Amino acid sequence: MAGTTPQPPTSRTRSWWGWGWSDAHPDDAECAAMGALIPGTLARPLPVPRVRDLHVGAPAVEAPQSLAHLVSTDPADRAAHSMGKAYRDVVRALRGRPGRIPDLVARPVDDRGVADLLDWAGERAVAVVPYGGGSSVTGGVEYRGDAHRAVLSLDLTAMGRVLEVDVEGRAARIQAGTLGPSLEDQLRPHGLTLRHFPQSFEFSTLGGWLATRAGGHYATGRTHIDDFVQSLRVVTPAGTSSSWRLPASGAGPSPDRMFLGSEGALGVITEAWVRLQERPRHKASASVTFADFRDGLRAVRALAQSDLSPANCRLLDAGEAALAGAGHDGRSVLVLGFESADEPVTARLERALDLARSHGGRTGTRPGGATVYGPGDGGSGDGGSGDGGSGAGPGDAAVGAWRAAFLRMPYLRDGLARMGAVAETFETAATWDRLPGLIDAVRTEVGEAALKATGHPAMVNCRLTHAYPDGAAPYFTVLAAGRPGDEVALWDELKAVAGEVLHRHRATITHHHAVGRDHRPGYDRQRPEPFTLALRAAKGALDPHGILNPGVLID
């Protein structure tokens, strides 16, 4: 079946320096009110940065006439493509220090354009940084260093169409630059959904999810984009790789696996066949509270090892629950949700609640019938997705509060950054036997490091975002006073402490945020040396001029 034309873009404007929409950021008064809750922050918020204050210089190169129609040199366009959306990126923009601004921003409309741009860049020693929605939080879409004469940001969002839909096989061929909401809008007339909703859903692309092995809203089962991939098409300087569309194959190492998570270092993902599903019609959600966070951990482990397969199974510690407005009595909160396209899920939810109660959980009134855990038709959240659900059912205010806070949190983080506070997150995954000690060590050691560095206590919260039979993914939030003018260095210090804790406990440097440049030290230690040799050889073969996203994954 032929594909669908994407809807016209919204008239709202993206923030060049911070998360999301420019008109959704907290105003000065709200920033000041938030800052007052964290001792040691600034008296008034830093001003919203302006592109004209950056004094963006002239490009170091000019595109040839044959490619000029694909290229922009507009200073605002270039500034918006200079960084991702991590806390350190936001602070650098606020302080007027965004780093290396790309010389050119290119927007190809097809594979031929991508290949021509790569050919030209290779001949001219121009670094090429693939760019989807720009929501990277690990330094994945910026250039650091001076080894290349110029930098081109390769924006794929002009390639934003669903090209083919196989309704019978429940799959679609989709261009990599398709943003999350547009992707779902184009699939909706067919009654199908990809149902992959990372927190960045509204501002990220299919290609970005594939290149970073992004985690989605399913807390169990199909947690990563990997689980939805049938085949990939990737343009590299050495040629185009197009794998067969297959339900499964045992024919040697998978070519798709080489490019999933490659972060633009080996090639540019331009399209993919992905597995779809029918849109869910039956949904139910509820919350459970625990006096002891470790009881909650045991409950989540039991749920992950059962056959219930909850779509949402997020455990928030007391601090995280209070921050989200999901709990204020010092108890941890477990947010549970189930969904199905063909059968009611209330019975599964009731069984899950029974299991949680057997581990010390306390439930309130009867669970509601409409789940509210995530974006579905336009929001975002690692916590899952409803699909136009009308809201939480009776007694489920905690679920609704958590979702609302989750969707708003990135904007609030930027507001706290304007107050000079450290407000950032990091995530990992570890086996169940290591998890309690890991979480305790992160809370203690990162908190102590923040106190030593600033003289003020920090808040270090934790929630579980994804759960597996053999382990889970803890996600940490750090809120602390900053060092005025030196906030980035302070966060780097705290992140280094966290990295040491993760390494000591053999926890991954990232479960779903990618490696980028910020996680390179941890990834280099985690990666086996024989694999390093193979990755280096692949990089040399596919990118002989070393132009593709230099600095990510490997030198």
Side-chain angles (χ1 to χ4, degrees):
M1 183 179 294
T4 308
T5 301
Q7 297 297 311
T10 176
S11 60
R12 300 176 76 184
T13 58
R14 289 279 302 275
S15 170
W16 79 268
W17 64 272
W19 183 262
W21 302 113
S22 297
D23 59 9
H25 283 269
D27 60 21
D28 287 3
E30 187 177 0
C31 290
M34 290 190 296
L37 302 176
I38 302 178
T41 56
L42 301 175
R44 60 182 62 87
L46 295 169
V48 173
R50 301 176 301 183
V51 172
R52 64 175 178 267
D53 293 332
L54 298 178
H55 306 294
V56 179
V61 294
E62 290 185 8
Q65 189 63 34
S66 61
L67 297 174
H69 64 291
L70 302 177
V71 173
S72 166
T73 58
D74 177 69
D77 204 5
R78 292 165 58 196
H81 285 75
S82 62
M83 305 176 300
K85 300 301 181 185
Y87 165 80
R88 66 191 320 276
D89 302 328
V90 171
V91 171
R92 287 187 297 161
L94 288 169
R95 294 294 184 182
R97 301 190 291 263
R100 178 79 174 262
I101 294 176
D103 298 272
L104 308 171
V105 176
R107 291 181 174 85
V109 297
D110 54 26
D111 284 17
R112 183 70 264 165
V114 174
D116 290 345
L117 286 161
L118 293 185
D119 288 344
W120 170 77
E123 294 169 358
R124 300 297 193 279
V126 173
V128 178
V129 180
Y131 188 101
S135 61
S136 170
V137 292
T138 60
V141 294
E142 67 178 86
Y143 180 87
R144 297 178 189 171
D146 55 7
H148 295 78
R149 62 182 296 210
V151 180
L152 180 147
S153 178
L154 187 65
D155 187 320
L156 274 293
T157 53
M159 300 172 66
R161 294 183 60 212
V162 173
L163 300 173
E164 294 182 63
V165 178
D166 175 3
V167 175
E168 186 175 83
R170 293 202 309 191
R173 181 166 69 96
I174 305 175
Q175 290 183 306
T178 310
L179 287 157
S182 176
L183 186 155
E184 289 294 330
D185 286 345
Q186 294 179 67
L187 293 177
R188 188 171 291 105
H190 304 283
L192 297 171
T193 174
L194 176 61
R195 213 140 186 81
H196 180 80
F197 300 112
Q199 183 177 10
S200 59
F201 170 77
E202 194 174 4
F203 307 106
S204 57
T205 62
L206 173 63
W209 304 340
L210 297 166
T212 60
R213 299 185 65 194
H217 91 277
Y218 287 112
T220 63
R222 295 165 292 185
T223 59
H224 280 71
I225 192 64
D226 310 34
D227 301 312
F228 299 91
V229 174
Q230 277 189 331
S231 68
L232 297 179
R233 185 170 175 84
V234 187
V235 177
T236 82
T240 297
S241 171
S242 186
S243 61
W244 289 11
R245 178 192 170 202
L246 295 167
S249 174
S254 165
D256 295 337
R257 287 285 174 179
M258 182 169 70
F259 293 110
L260 286 168
S262 61
E263 302 190 29
L266 302 180
V268 180
I269 299 171
T270 59
E271 63 181 58
W273 273 98
V274 292
R275 299 179 178 93
L276 307 175
Q277 56 191 298
E278 294 180 18
R279 305 186 76 82
R281 295 182 298 114
H282 305 277
K283 309 166 215 171
S285 64
S287 62
V288 186
T289 63
F290 295 87
D292 188 325
F293 182 72
R294 292 202 176 202
D295 287 341
L297 287 178
R298 285 186 280 270
V300 172
R301 184 182 67 198
L303 287 163
Q305 293 173 348
S306 73
D307 63 352
L308 295 173
S309 300
N312 195 14
C313 186
R314 265 68 181 188
L315 177 66
L316 289 64
D317 71 7
E320 193 76 357
L323 196 64
H328 299 284
D329 57 359
R331 297 175 68 89
S332 299
V333 177
L334 173 62
V335 180
L336 280 170
F338 289 84
E339 62 184 44
S340 173
D342 54 20
E343 64 179 6
V345 294
T346 305
R348 273 198 287 157
L349 177 58
E350 293 289 2
R351 286 172 55 201
L353 294 176
D354 286 343
L355 193 57
R357 282 189 285 262
S358 72
H359 288 81
R362 187 173 74 190
T363 56
T365 58
R366 179 178 60 82
T371 192
V372 292
Y373 48 91
D377 292 309
S380 62
D382 76 355
S385 171
D387 201 272
S390 59
D396 258 328
V399 181
W402 172 78
R403 177 184 187 272
F406 191 88
L407 300 180
R408 180 73 171 142
M409 195 58 68
Y411 294 100
L412 301 183
R413 178 207 65 177
D414 293 355
L416 285 169
R418 290 185 61 198
M419 296 304 300
V422 169
E424 185 57 304
T425 62
F426 63 93
E427 42 74 38
T428 182
T431 53
W432 286 114
D433 59 321
R434 300 177 185 274
L435 210 59
L438 166 69
I439 293 171
D440 288 346
V442 166
R443 285 173 173 152
T444 299
E445 295 183 39
V446 173
E448 290 176 348
L451 179 61
K452 181 178 179 180
T454 68
H456 297 283
M459 178 183 293
V460 184
N461 297 333
C462 176
R463 68 179 186 268
L464 297 190
T465 62
H466 300 79
Y468 305 91
D470 51 349
Y475 195 114
F476 296 93
T477 300
V478 180
L479 297 175
R483 289 196 301 247
D486 200 28
E487 296 91 349
V488 170
L490 173 59
W491 171 246
D492 288 346
E493 292 171 18
L494 298 182
K495 187 65 180 289
V497 171
E500 287 300 320
V501 176
L502 301 186
H503 184 72
R504 191 169 71 243
H505 287 263
R506 295 184 69 84
T508 182
I509 192 62
T510 177
H511 171 264
H512 59 267
H513 277 174
V515 175
R517 291 161 180 82
D518 296 346
H519 286 157
R520 267 294 302 278
Y523 178 62
D524 288 348
R525 296 170 75 182
Q526 180 178 328
R527 183 181 59 212
E529 184 57 28
F531 181 74
T532 301
L533 298 175
L535 184 59
R536 187 174 293 125
K539 173 73 171 174
L542 296 174
D543 182 22
H545 297 294
I547 60 168
L548 283 174
N549 216 1
V552 301
L553 296 184
I554 196 163
D555 294 324

